[in-house]
Amino acid sequence: MSENTYTIAVIGAGGKMGMRVSNNLVRTDHAVKYVENSEGGRARTLEAGRELTDAVTAVQDADIVVLAVPDLALASVTADLVPQMRAGAVVLTLDPAAAYAGLLATREDVIQAVAHPCHPSVFLQRQTPEEWADTFGGIAAPQDAIAAVESEDDAVKTLVETTVRAIYAPVVDVHWVTVKQLAQLEPTLVETVACMIGELLNEALQEAVHTMGVPEAAARSILYGHTQVALANGLRGDNPFSDACLIAMDYGRESIIKEDWKKIFRDDELDKNLARMLHLDAIER
């Protein structure tokens, strides 16, 4: 095997994220072993032309084990598989919630890592119809990724970055943070704030259409265009908001946003949020 090619085990290879990961890994030179327990997932993996391997066999000689399974399954999956991994291998989760909450089974000689896709930026200069269609990333549109690894070893970092660039391809940059910082970004910054605002925009659209009686095509057109302007002006400062718009924005803040909303970035609030997401009564640190 050439330099910077590895043996990779994908756990949950037939799930939603598992299929995305596997579809990219199959195009690399890495030796990839696909593991899936569910009947539907096994069928999808086989239909894609990939062989299945049992979990213990797959992880025993893997350089890195990618856990493409739901957050709620990570505790039991790592309890089963981490003891079977070889010393010095890396276990890579794709979301920081369970890792930060301390729910993963660990071993001193197995390295934990987390990586999450940034998804293609709203400001990405897309070039092709395929790039425009790829709003999630991992198919045609370039994206960044965020990663954390509990090791100072450059070789381990290279292994993780190489894997991250493969599973989320095409990747522009991999940004390195701590597990805690990644949890502050996901869920707090992007799910608690950005995704909530996206859903709020849709609720406002439906209110304009179904309650106010505005034609839907007109409402969608003005909302979609102004959302781009709002993001460009608010996040990048492309153009100043008009004086009248600033007054309307103040009214919106007063009517919709709680004054103490920034508390969501506190550690105790992050713990509460993750406890709800992971269906826990409390997170012990």
Side-chain angles (χ1 to χ4, degrees):
M1 198 170 294
S2 63
E3 184 179 0
N4 290 349
T5 60
Y6 305 100
T7 299
I8 302 173
V10 181
I11 312 301
K16 292 180 180 178
M17 198 62 200
M19 288 296 289
R20 289 179 176 273
V21 165
S22 299
N23 288 343
N24 281 339
L25 284 175
V26 77
R27 295 196 290 266
T28 71
D29 293 329
H30 302 301
V32 186
K33 298 181 179 179
Y34 305 98
V35 179
E36 177 59 58
N37 289 332
S38 73
E39 184 177 345
R42 290 175 67 86
R44 283 188 292 273
T45 303
L46 293 173
E47 287 170 5
R50 296 188 271 269
E51 294 183 5
L52 288 163
T53 305
D54 71 273
V56 173
T57 300
V59 305
Q60 281 180 338
D61 61 352
D63 296 304
I64 186 166
V65 176
V66 179
L67 300 179
V69 299
D71 284 347
L72 298 181
L74 284 171
S76 61
V77 169
T78 54
D80 289 339
L81 298 184
V82 168
Q84 310 296 329
M85 294 174 62
R86 67 170 182 79
V90 175
V91 58
L92 176 67
T93 56
L94 306 184
D95 191 282
Y100 177 68
L103 300 181
L104 305 182
T106 61
R107 252 175 59 193
E108 288 187 2
D109 57 354
V110 170
I111 301 158
Q112 285 196 39
V114 185
H116 197 77
C118 291
H119 305 300
S121 169
V122 292
F123 302 119
L124 175 67
Q125 295 183 8
R126 291 171 166 84
Q127 305 296 325
T128 66
E130 291 77 17
E131 290 182 4
W132 279 104
D134 183 18
T135 56
F136 188 90
I139 299 174
Q143 63 178 332
D144 287 354
I146 308 288
V149 59
E150 296 182 348
S151 174
E152 299 297 326
D153 188 332
D154 287 341
V156 171
K157 190 173 180 179
T158 296
L159 164 61
V160 173
E161 179 166 350
T162 300
T163 304
V164 168
R165 287 185 174 277
I167 64 177
Y168 297 141
V171 171
V172 180
D173 290 316
V174 176
H175 304 283
W176 294 95
V177 298
T178 66
V179 172
K180 179 178 179 179
Q181 288 171 335
L182 185 44
Q184 290 167 328
L185 296 175
E186 164 92 19
T188 304
L189 179 64
V190 296
E191 291 180 330
T192 303
V193 178
C195 293
M196 178 276 295
I197 289 175
E199 183 64 25
L200 182 64
L201 288 173
N202 185 58
E203 291 182 23
L205 173 65
Q206 300 307 317
E207 191 71 10
V209 172
H210 298 295
T211 300
M212 298 170 58
V214 176
E216 184 170 353
R220 285 188 180 276
S221 290
I222 198 168
L223 179 63
Y224 289 1
H226 279 71
T227 297
Q228 176 173 266
V229 169
L231 293 175
N233 292 359
L235 293 178
R236 298 201 310 191
D238 283 8
N239 296 286
F241 292 110
S242 70
D243 291 342
C245 181
L246 291 172
I247 294 172
M249 289 163 60
D250 285 341
Y251 171 72
R253 279 184 170 271
E254 294 165 3
S255 302
I256 300 171
I257 306 298
K258 294 182 178 179
E259 290 186 1
D260 65 344
W261 74 270
K262 291 182 182 178
K263 70 180 183 181
I264 64 174
F265 289 96
R266 296 196 321 237
D267 287 354
D268 61 324
E269 292 294 325
L270 175 58
D271 286 351
K272 287 182 193 175
N273 197 7
L274 293 179
R276 292 175 64 178
M277 293 174 65
L278 297 169
H279 301 285
L280 303 175
D281 293 329
I283 295 178
E284 295 183 3
R285 198 70 60 230

